[in-house]
Amino acid sequence: MSRELIGYIENSKELLQEALHQSLQKLLIPEQLKQSMLYSINAGGKRLRPILLMASYDAYANNNKKVLSSCLAVEMIHTYSLIHDDLPAMDNDDYRRGKPTNHKVFDESTAILAGDALLTYSFEIIAEDPLLNDTQKVEIIRLLSACGGPTGMVGGQILDMEAEKKSATLEELERIHTLKTGELIRFAIYTGAYLANASKEQLNYLTDFAYYLGLIFQVQDDILDVTGDEKKLGKRVGSDQENEKSTYPKLLGIGGAMKQKEIYVEKAKNALEKANAEDSYLMALTDYFSNRDY
Amino acid sequence: MSRELIGYIENSKELLQEALHQSLQKLLIPEQLKQSMLYSINAGGKRLRPILLMASYDAYANNNKKVLSSCLAVEMIHTYSLIHDDLPAMDNDDYRRGKPTNHKVFDESTAILAGDALLTYSFEIIAEDPLLNDTQKVEIIRLLSACGGPTGMVGGQILDMEAEKKSATLEELERIHTLKTGELIRFAIYTGAYLANASKEQLNYLTDFAYYLGLIFQVQDDILDVTGDEKKLGKRVGSDQENEKSTYPKLLGIGGAMKQKEIYVEKAKNALEKANAEDSYLMALTDYFSNRDY
């Protein structure tokens, strides 16, 4: 990974961390609720979605202050989904990113409500942003709700749960991940370029790019669950196999999964070129997420 | 209750039922998720919030088609909050409106996701409404997220849970209910009048009205838990006392609670007059909700 890309990611993460913390800290809400929301937001993570959103804007324009509210919103929605996913009734995970999950630190009811609060607040953040006009706000909110709701991420989570009970085909697997992970990535990529006034054609190619990037991300996730380092990942490996979960390595073998990832990488880069974004950080980020070890 | 008001409520409920059902039925989403969302939406209920929203519009203008999306959104948010409230980790209720709760019919994880889906989708419904302009959409979304999120309903739910562990004062009780129930009622009353182009002054008085109406609703809820008929209510009575919950009857006695309700009713009607809405259905609805037996 180039030193430039490392700097870009580190700077973005720092900026995001500060903005995320501030946007929750300033809320006049019950302390227990605030602490629970802050706990999961501050737990770190890759900040994949907001960094992609920034990089997508930076591919077409300068001065990306306009994207900050969308970055916060998508990270809050991602975070709420993790809190609910970890609940005993869902995946029943005690650790996330190497730290106890929200419901282990607080309690289940607080975790449920903290998730609900982050989800609801994400829309307020966009609606209140003084840097966006009303048309932009509506377009972003429309896409965020479509990508985060029943036609998007939540739909993917239901399918993912159902798939645990049977063995899925490669096609079904792609559909699950496209909804569960891919739709918020699509939101991020689209919104950044949209706010940078990318053309309709460019936005279409970026939608293709986002589709493949989401799959790359997921294949690598599956691969790391087999070959990854628990310390770097901050979570147990091998849990997919234990849960008899349908994964790329299970369907294709590790070699086959790696090969499939390379196919997606090529298609993603191809789409980026067509979107005239071949010199942007999106290109380097594609390799970065394809080869990440955490 | 006048025959006219009964007709108004029945007509509104029928129209809402059809629109709610359609808006979910048309979604291309996993079947299990759709059934779970539909189950709770179709479980009926008073439709208090959307009826108030319509009545608030009708107080100032004719032809209330413009409010339908806001009506659906607020009812979906209310419904999601009930689904999450009923979960084992929260109130652990097996029955709601005389029917098994969502997680009893489906399962806990589906119920959590159905709630998340209804919440997220409610914003999409507003953002997609062709009858509203962008400024209206943003104003409505801004208020809906503020009233439904951590500064509103979700904040109230946390306070309500905390209050179960100690005995609350009348002031604390009012704060809990204003957030937990009152804020979505405020959204309904404000949004109806806003879309009917009520003046700023009228909107301010209506905000006062909504505040007292929310409290009336809650006092009556508490009274019914002592004196109500289980069959009419579709839920067990006496649960507040069992749970040693702070309620108006507990703090003031039944007579004191009734008296307190009358004070709120007078203040509510006073605010309605100042908002020039004394001849609207809002006036009759105030008495209706104050005296309801279910």
Side-chain angles (χ1 to χ4, degrees):
Chain A
M1 187 165 59
S2 76
R3 188 173 296 185
E4 204 191 337
L5 182 65
I6 296 177
Y8 184 75
I9 292 176
E10 289 310 313
N11 284 344
S12 304
K13 281 175 89 166
E14 212 168 294
L15 190 148
L16 286 165
Q17 177 56 35
E18 176 67 16
L20 283 163
H21 188 83
Q22 281 305 322
S23 72
L24 294 181
Q25 192 59 55
K26 73 176 184 195
L27 286 175
L28 297 170
I29 60 173
E31 194 56 27
Q32 167 91 345
L33 183 60
K34 187 190 278 189
Q35 289 311 320
S36 176
M37 293 165 81
L38 275 169
Y39 176 78
S40 289
I41 281 290
N42 286 336
K46 291 177 280 291
R47 311 291 191 203
L48 165 69
R49 292 151 193 81
I51 288 174
L52 287 172
L53 208 159
M54 285 181 178
S56 183
Y57 181 97
D58 291 338
Y60 300 96
N62 295 315
N63 186 9
N64 62 17
K65 275 188 192 154
K66 253 200 212 171
V67 300
L68 194 58
S69 60
S70 302
C71 288
L72 300 185
V74 74
E75 187 67 9
M76 285 191 191
I77 289 204
H78 172 60
T79 303
Y80 112 75
S81 79
L82 299 182
I83 296 174
H84 282 189
D85 245 11
D86 288 336
L87 288 168
M90 307 271 285
D91 287 353
N92 194 19
D93 278 318
D94 293 351
Y95 289 90
R96 159 80 63 184
R97 297 166 181 165
K99 292 173 188 158
T101 44
N102 196 296
H103 65 273
K104 297 302 276 185
V105 176
F106 299 88
D107 52 32
E108 271 186 66
S109 50
T110 303
I112 293 169
L113 292 172
D116 294 344
L118 286 168
L119 169 54
T120 315
Y121 185 45
S122 67
F123 292 102
E124 193 176 353
I125 287 175
I126 312 257
E128 293 276 15
D129 186 350
L131 300 180
L132 304 178
N133 66 41
D134 287 343
T135 303
Q136 291 170 329
K137 289 178 183 180
V138 170
E139 174 69 359
I140 294 168
I141 287 168
R142 192 192 57 71
L143 191 63
L144 185 59
S145 51
C147 292
T151 55
M153 183 183 70
V154 175
Q157 282 168 310
I158 281 271
L159 293 181
D160 196 25
M161 274 167 29
E162 287 172 5
E164 278 171 21
K165 296 165 204 157
K166 50 167 194 165
S167 100
T169 65
L170 188 65
E171 208 183 348
E172 288 167 336
L173 205 60
E174 284 196 358
R175 177 164 152 71
I176 292 168
H177 296 313
T178 299
L179 292 177
K180 193 179 169 176
T181 319
E183 283 290 276
L184 279 194
I185 289 177
R186 177 165 76 91
F187 168 81
I189 299 288
Y190 181 97
T191 300
Y194 163 75
L195 287 176
N197 295 316
S199 72
K200 202 133 205 153
E201 205 188 350
Q202 288 169 328
L203 288 171
N204 281 340
Y205 284 121
L206 285 176
T207 302
D208 292 343
F209 165 69
Y211 174 76
Y212 293 114
L213 190 65
L215 292 174
I216 292 165
F217 190 78
Q218 190 58 48
V219 184
Q220 187 62 6
D221 230 36
D222 288 356
I223 291 173
L224 287 173
D225 194 70
V226 180
T227 67
D229 177 337
E230 295 200 344
K231 267 196 199 145
K232 281 190 184 163
L233 288 167
K235 64 178 179 186
R236 289 198 315 120
V237 303
S239 65
D240 289 344
Q241 205 177 356
E242 272 171 41
N243 300 330
E244 295 180 34
K245 216 175 152 177
S246 283
T247 65
Y248 286 92
K250 191 180 166 195
L251 284 175
L252 308 170
I254 279 286
M258 307 270 269
K259 208 182 253 168
Q260 188 67 42
K261 191 177 68 177
E262 288 317 313
I263 295 171
Y264 292 149
V265 168
E266 206 183 306
K267 288 188 175 180
K269 291 184 172 179
N270 197 13
L272 266 191
E273 273 165 31
K274 287 184 177 157
N276 314 117
E278 66 269 28
D279 295 328
S280 71
Y281 283 116
L282 292 176
M283 198 62 125
L285 282 165
T286 304
D287 286 323
Y288 170 63
F289 286 115
S290 166
N291 300 319
R292 73 198 160 87
D293 59 1
Y294 77 101
Chain B
M1 185 166 60
S2 77
R3 188 171 296 184
E4 204 191 336
L5 182 65
I6 296 176
Y8 184 75
I9 291 177
E10 289 310 314
N11 284 345
S12 304
K13 281 175 90 165
E14 214 167 293
L15 189 150
L16 286 164
Q17 176 57 35
E18 177 67 17
L20 283 163
H21 188 83
Q22 281 305 322
S23 73
L24 293 181
Q25 192 58 56
K26 74 176 183 196
L27 286 175
L28 297 170
I29 60 173
E31 194 55 27
Q32 168 92 345
L33 183 60
K34 187 190 278 188
Q35 290 311 320
S36 176
M37 294 165 81
L38 275 168
Y39 176 78
S40 290
I41 282 290
N42 287 336
K46 293 178 279 291
R47 310 294 190 202
L48 165 70
R49 292 151 193 81
I51 288 174
L52 288 172
L53 207 159
M54 285 181 178
S56 184
Y57 181 97
D58 292 338
Y60 300 96
N62 296 315
N63 187 8
N64 62 16
K65 275 186 191 155
K66 253 199 212 172
V67 300
L68 194 57
S69 60
S70 302
C71 288
L72 301 185
V74 74
E75 187 66 8
M76 285 190 191
I77 289 203
H78 171 60
T79 303
Y80 113 75
S81 78
L82 300 181
I83 296 175
H84 283 188
D85 244 11
D86 288 337
L87 287 168
M90 307 270 286
D91 287 352
N92 195 20
D93 278 319
D94 292 351
Y95 289 90
R96 158 80 63 184
R97 296 165 181 164
K99 291 172 188 159
T101 44
N102 197 296
H103 65 273
K104 297 301 276 186
V105 176
F106 300 88
D107 53 32
E108 272 185 64
S109 50
T110 304
I112 293 169
L113 291 172
D116 294 344
L118 286 168
L119 169 55
T120 315
Y121 185 44
S122 67
F123 292 102
E124 193 176 353
I125 287 175
I126 312 255
E128 292 275 15
D129 186 350
L131 300 179
L132 304 178
N133 65 41
D134 287 343
T135 302
Q136 292 170 329
K137 289 178 184 181
V138 170
E139 174 68 359
I140 294 168
I141 287 167
R142 192 193 57 72
L143 192 63
L144 186 59
S145 51
C147 292
T151 55
M153 184 182 71
V154 175
Q157 283 168 308
I158 281 270
L159 292 181
D160 195 26
M161 275 166 31
E162 285 172 6
E164 278 171 21
K165 296 164 203 156
K166 50 167 194 166
S167 102
T169 64
L170 188 66
E171 206 184 350
E172 288 167 335
L173 205 60
E174 285 196 358
R175 177 163 153 73
I176 291 169
H177 295 313
T178 299
L179 291 177
K180 192 178 170 175
T181 319
E183 283 290 275
L184 279 195
I185 290 177
R186 176 164 77 93
F187 168 81
I189 300 288
Y190 181 98
T191 300
Y194 164 75
L195 287 176
N197 294 316
S199 72
K200 203 132 206 157
E201 204 187 352
Q202 289 169 327
L203 288 171
N204 281 341
Y205 284 121
L206 285 175
T207 302
D208 291 344
F209 166 70
Y211 174 76
Y212 293 114
L213 189 65
L215 291 174
I216 292 165
F217 191 79
Q218 190 59 48
V219 184
Q220 187 63 4
D221 230 36
D222 287 356
I223 291 173
L224 286 174
D225 195 70
V226 180
T227 68
D229 177 337
E230 294 201 345
K231 268 197 197 143
K232 280 190 185 161
L233 289 166
K235 65 177 179 186
R236 287 198 317 119
V237 303
S239 65
D240 288 345
Q241 206 178 353
E242 272 172 41
N243 300 332
E244 295 180 34
K245 216 174 150 177
S246 284
T247 65
Y248 286 92
K250 192 179 166 195
L251 284 175
L252 308 170
I254 279 285
M258 306 270 268
K259 208 181 252 169
Q260 187 68 41
K261 191 177 69 176
E262 289 316 312
I263 294 171
Y264 292 150
V265 168
E266 206 183 306
K267 288 189 174 179
K269 290 184 175 179
N270 196 14
L272 267 192
E273 274 165 33
K274 285 185 177 156
N276 315 115
E278 65 270 28
D279 296 327
S280 71
Y281 282 116
L282 292 176
M283 198 62 125
L285 282 165
T286 304
D287 286 324
Y288 171 62
F289 286 115
S290 165
N291 301 317
R292 74 199 160 85
D293 58 3
Y294 76 101

